[in-house]
Amino acid sequence: MTPTVTCPLQVQRYGDSALLVSGADDEQLSKETRWAAVHAVARRLRAAGIRGIEGIVATFETLTVEFDPLELDAFDLGELIRGWSPIPIDPTGTGRVVEIPMVYGGEYGPDLASVASHLGLREHEVIERHSAHLWRVAFTGAPAGTPLHEGAAFDAPIPRMPEPRVRIAPGTIALSGHQGTIYTIPAPGGWRLIGRTPLQIINPSGDPFVAIEPGDSLRFRPISEHEFAQAAPAFIGELL
């Protein structure tokens, strides 16, 4: 039987129309515990469907709750969330394993060589380590539902580009530090581009808009350029 794990919460004002929620100021709380706590609060708030809440943005260790002050009182909202403290969390981090096919290097991942050089590896070794690792989705954010994921596939952090690119194609997988992301729309960025997936990560006209959720794990599967060219541009939510 899984033991019960709880995390005390800290709630504070964040401007005149938002609250900032985090784990209590306790050095014994791990990064994983803080992450699980703020995402547990986010799920409760979404399920509650409270009128006046306009945004629920959970990241690594904090949650921003945006609200309309003409519809919702900040004190009442804060007391509601404080009433959930300490909040039960899932210590096992159970989530789906989502397979992402991707072609590495070449025009799809022009920074693969520089990443390999920085790590002191060959390109095929970067591919092997990246694709063998399970990357946990920490949160989905900007732009447009980008799934930011993290892991320890490499011994050293990956540096950003000296100058960001103006436009990166949707489906591009990029690395920075010990984190990764998948671009969902054409956008600028300074992370290192190592490959691209033919899958559509978001569905602008459908529900859900983003199928990948925080707590899911991503496993990247190498494919050839020919397989990429032949792949149908399917929305990943239809494959889960």
Side-chain angles (χ1 to χ4, degrees):
M1 183 175 180
T2 302
T4 300
V5 177
T6 61
C7 179
L9 301 173
Q10 179 173 283
V11 185
Q12 55 187 310
R13 291 292 296 268
Y14 198 54
D16 60 0
S17 59
L19 298 178
L20 188 68
V21 184
S22 61
D25 188 11
D26 185 341
E27 293 182 355
Q28 295 184 348
L29 293 177
S30 68
K31 172 186 174 182
E32 289 73 19
T33 297
R34 293 178 183 275
W35 174 85
V38 297
H39 284 273
V41 174
R43 287 192 295 271
R44 285 199 184 188
L45 287 173
R46 293 189 184 104
I50 300 170
R51 180 177 177 179
I53 290 183
E54 298 183 336
I56 301 170
V57 184
T59 59
F60 287 114
E61 298 183 21
T62 60
L63 166 69
T64 302
V65 185
E66 302 168 333
F67 62 90
D68 182 349
L70 299 180
E71 294 277 355
L72 190 58
D73 183 78
F75 178 82
D76 292 341
L77 179 58
E79 286 300 290
L80 171 68
I81 298 173
R82 291 186 185 94
W84 295 340
S85 179
I87 191 165
I89 61 174
D90 180 4
T92 63
T94 53
R96 301 166 298 178
V97 176
V98 182
E99 184 178 273
I100 308 289
M102 66 174 288
V103 57
Y104 286 86
E107 64 178 291
Y108 305 98
D111 300 324
L112 179 62
S114 65
V115 169
S117 176
H118 171 75
L119 294 172
L121 301 172
R122 297 180 178 179
E123 291 184 26
H124 74 86
E125 292 175 317
V126 173
I127 295 171
E128 289 170 359
R129 294 193 186 189
H130 183 264
S131 60
H133 189 71
L134 277 179
W135 297 81
R136 186 188 70 169
V137 177
F139 59 91
T140 55
T146 296
L148 192 144
H149 45 280
E150 56 184 353
F154 306 111
D155 297 332
I158 309 300
R160 295 192 180 205
M161 297 289 292
E163 297 289 337
R165 291 179 170 89
V166 175
R167 185 185 187 279
I168 297 170
T172 299
I173 290 90
L175 299 176
S176 178
H178 290 290
Q179 301 160 359
T181 192
I182 307 176
Y183 285 84
T184 56
I185 60 173
W191 290 30
R192 303 278 177 168
L193 314 183
I194 63 167
R196 193 184 307 169
T197 179
L199 295 178
Q200 295 178 352
I201 304 302
I202 59 171
N203 184 18
S205 60
D207 185 17
F209 175 73
V210 181
I212 297 173
E213 299 176 350
D216 288 343
S217 294
L218 306 183
R219 185 184 295 281
F220 295 93
R221 176 172 60 86
I223 61 174
S224 67
E225 293 187 21
H226 176 74
E227 290 174 299
F228 182 95
Q230 296 298 314
F235 171 50
I236 193 170
E238 299 171 356
L239 308 177
L240 298 179

